[in-house]
């Protein structure tokens, strides 16, 4: 099992395990996201139980330190396996849990990638897909709690859902928003991801849970939106002036200094300029 990480109670019913910010590695045992769970009157709703069966077992162990209620539902925010391959462990412990997402996952690529990056720690992980689809504007109501879905069409991965827990004023934004860590944007569209941040901020929630990095108020959504918008505007300006990505990199970097200390900035910013 992945080593234990603390459970942070961010609202009356909502708990988050804030995982490591770095990409999957031997050091972090392949665990790198922010699993969360909401305790309802009837059971527990889990969001993004992690990157492997080992991570999911840790999440289940930590969940049981909070409540002995069963897991009734699992919501997966998007297709990237570092968020949903822990489904396997949830069904091991709670075979009656209903797995929900917007669209099925890219399974084997993620299983093998996390296995390789973790030095084989995640051996035995297999893809357990959600069987129930959910879309924009739909709600899951269970145990006196309401989970409203916001599903921007072309944001971080083209498969994203953001989950608004109405009674707790919490929004779990998935990888549409990260904080103090930059994302892999290979499957993203900049305009769509910027719009998703604006949708999330417009919900005026008290608490926002990013896919990676610390939770906080609306300022974390604004910070990530500003990164995407600043980079995109600068790239567009220099692209329109006829510059290629490597020619504009230094001047674009100069505009991105507020984010230079974020995890993986130096690893991904060149790729982000190219993608933009």
């Amino acid at each position: 099992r992945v080593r234990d990480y603390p459970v942070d109670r961010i609202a009356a019913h909502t708990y988050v395990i804030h995982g490591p910010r770095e990409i999957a590695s031997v050091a972090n045992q392949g665990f790198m996201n922010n699993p969360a769970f909401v305790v309802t009157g009837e059971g527990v709703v889990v969001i993004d139980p992690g990157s492997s069966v080992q991570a999911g077992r840790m999440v289940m162990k930590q969940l049981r330190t909070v409540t002995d209620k069963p897991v009734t539902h699992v919501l997966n925010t998007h297709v990237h396996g570092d968020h949903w391959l822990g489904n396997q462990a949830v069904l091991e412990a709670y075979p009656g849990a209903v797995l929900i997402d917007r669209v099925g996952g890219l399974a084997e690529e993620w299983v093998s990638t996390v296995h390789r990056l973790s030095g084989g720690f995640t051996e035995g992980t297999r893809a357990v897909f959600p069987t129930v689809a959910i879309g924009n504007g739909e709600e899951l109501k269970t145990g006196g709690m309401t989970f409203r879905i916001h599903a921007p069409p072309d944001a971080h991965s083209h498969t994203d859902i953001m989950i608004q827990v109405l009674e707790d004023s919490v929004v779990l934004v998935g990888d549409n928003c990260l904080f103090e860590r930059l994302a892999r944007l290979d499957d993203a569209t900049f305009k769509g991801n910027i719009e998703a941040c604006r949708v999330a901020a417009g919900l005026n929630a008290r608490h926002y849970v990013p896919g990676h990095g610390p939770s906080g108020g609306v300022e974390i959504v604004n910070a990530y939106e500003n990164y995407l918008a600043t980079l995109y505007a600068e790239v567009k300006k220099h692209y329109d002036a006829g510059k290629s990505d490597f020619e504009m990199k230094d001047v674009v970097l100069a505009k991105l200094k507020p984010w230079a200390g974020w995890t993986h900035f130096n690893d991904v910013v060149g790729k982000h300029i190219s993608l933009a």
Side-chain angles (χ1 to χ4, degrees):
R1 193 182 68 234
V2 167
R3 70 182 68 92
D4 292 341
Y5 285 80
V7 179
D8 299 320
R9 187 178 191 175
I10 67 163
H13 310 86
T14 304
Y15 301 79
V16 181
I17 297 172
H18 291 95
R21 291 178 213 167
E22 296 76 20
I23 64 166
S25 67
V26 173
N28 63 27
Q29 303 172 300
F31 176 54
M32 56 185 281
N33 79 306
N34 289 343
F37 57 92
V38 180
V39 181
T40 80
E42 295 176 2
V44 186
V45 176
V46 173
I47 298 95
D48 285 356
S51 58
S52 65
V53 66
Q54 290 83 1
R57 288 168 182 160
M58 182 272 289
V59 173
M60 294 300 97
K61 176 176 181 280
Q62 297 301 76
L63 182 155
R64 284 189 286 266
T65 68
V66 172
T67 179
D68 57 3
K69 292 180 179 179
V71 175
T72 56
H73 301 81
V74 181
L75 288 160
N76 295 153
T77 60
H78 67 293
V79 74
H80 296 151
D82 56 312
H83 293 260
W84 65 270
L85 288 172
N87 287 354
Q88 178 184 355
V90 182
L91 287 193
E92 273 183 357
Y94 303 100
V98 177
L99 273 52
I100 303 170
D101 74 352
R102 182 174 161 201
V103 66
L106 292 164
E108 296 313 314
E109 175 188 346
W110 276 99
V111 170
S112 62
T113 296
V114 177
H115 184 271
R116 173 175 53 81
L117 293 175
S118 69
F121 183 85
T122 61
E123 180 69 35
T125 297
R126 56 185 175 79
V128 177
F129 293 104
T131 54
V132 177
I134 199 163
N136 189 53
E138 293 186 49
E139 292 182 347
L140 167 66
K141 294 187 177 184
T142 179
M145 301 296 290
T146 309
F147 301 81
R148 182 174 294 161
I149 303 302
H150 303 271
D154 297 307
H156 173 73
S157 71
H158 304 281
T159 65
D160 307 279
I161 61 172
M162 301 188 291
I163 302 152
Q164 182 181 14
V165 187
L166 295 185
E167 292 78 8
D168 271 3
S169 194
V170 169
V171 179
L172 301 112
V173 291
D175 280 3
N176 287 329
C177 170
L178 280 65
F179 189 54
E180 296 181 358
R181 194 259 212 199
L182 290 180
R184 171 185 181 270
L185 295 177
D186 298 51
D187 303 322
T189 69
F190 279 82
K191 288 182 178 178
N193 205 154
I194 291 165
E195 178 58 25
C197 288
R198 291 173 180 164
V199 168
L203 298 174
N204 296 313
R206 284 196 297 274
H207 311 281
Y208 288 87
V209 181
H212 306 265
S215 299
V218 72
E219 71 278 356
I220 75 169
V221 181
N222 293 336
Y224 192 68
E225 179 195 333
N226 287 340
Y227 169 78
L228 295 173
T230 301
L231 185 147
Y232 190 77
E234 283 298 304
V235 170
K236 184 178 188 309
K237 180 171 72 178
H238 296 292
Y239 179 84
D240 289 347
K243 291 183 181 178
S244 57
D245 49 7
F246 67 91
E247 292 174 312
M248 69 176 75
K249 183 176 180 181
D250 288 345
V251 290
V252 174
L253 282 176
K255 295 287 188 178
L256 298 176
K257 285 181 181 175
W259 300 274
W262 284 26
T263 301
H264 293 311
F265 179 88
N266 291 325
D267 302 328
V268 302
V269 69
K271 182 73 172 291
H272 288 181
I273 291 169
S274 298
L275 289 167

